[in-house]
Amino acid sequence: HVQLVESGGGSVQAGGSLRLSCSASGYTFGTSCMAWFRQAPGKERGGVAAIDSDGSTSYADSVKGRFTISRDNAKNTLYLQMNSLKPEDTAMYYCAARDSAGYLSPLERLERRNYNVWGQGTQVTVS
């Protein structure tokens, strides 16, 4: 049973930082692409950052230079370091994984349709 559990969300003032974590269990971590998505009220869930098994990363234009995605395969954990937060970053943040290997282009890594395992989400509020 594959399970993803996010943590680290909270409320922060604009300009502040947060680090999200996603703990994975039930599958071979490190062999497939993982990503962070976010969804604000009334908006579609969109890709924020992704990291493939070889360490290749992709970022949405809106977070480039501010967010950093990383993974620790020994700890089965995915991270998202968020700096210089803005009110428009306010959203529910979701961790996502694929249970299959295979190449994804940099853009495909940020597409929701390419992930089939999701966490329950963690709220980030920036004021």
Side-chain angles (χ1 to χ4, degrees):
H1 176 64
V2 181
Q3 188 173 19
L4 302 175
V5 179
E6 302 97 333
S7 61
S11 296
V12 64
Q13 290 189 336
S17 298
L18 284 174
R19 189 175 83 153
L20 305 183
S21 299
C22 172
S23 178
S25 62
Y27 81 113
T28 306
F29 192 89
T31 60
S32 62
C33 194
M34 297 189 72
W36 288 96
F37 286 73
R38 66 186 180 187
Q39 187 169 19
K43 295 189 176 181
E44 294 289 321
R45 189 176 300 186
V48 174
I51 183 166
D52 215 329
S53 56
D54 64 355
S56 301
T57 57
S58 300
Y59 293 94
D61 288 342
S62 59
V63 306
K64 282 180 181 176
R66 300 189 298 122
F67 290 12
T68 303
I69 189 171
S70 62
R71 64 196 298 171
D72 186 334
N73 292 339
K75 295 183 178 180
N76 284 4
T77 303
L78 179 73
Y79 301 100
L80 184 67
Q81 178 66 45
M82 305 186 295
N83 298 329
S84 302
L85 282 162
K86 305 175 180 179
E88 50 264 45
D89 294 318
T90 295
M92 185 72 79
Y93 283 71
Y94 297 91
C95 175
R98 292 159 53 86
D99 63 3
S100 61
Y103 175 76
L104 292 177
S105 72
L107 284 179
E108 288 174 330
R109 293 181 200 138
L110 297 177
E111 294 177 353
R112 183 177 179 178
R113 63 185 175 88
N114 292 313
Y115 296 87
N116 61 336
V117 184
W118 295 86
Q120 83 289 349
T122 186
Q123 178 67 38
V124 172
T125 302
V126 185
S127 59

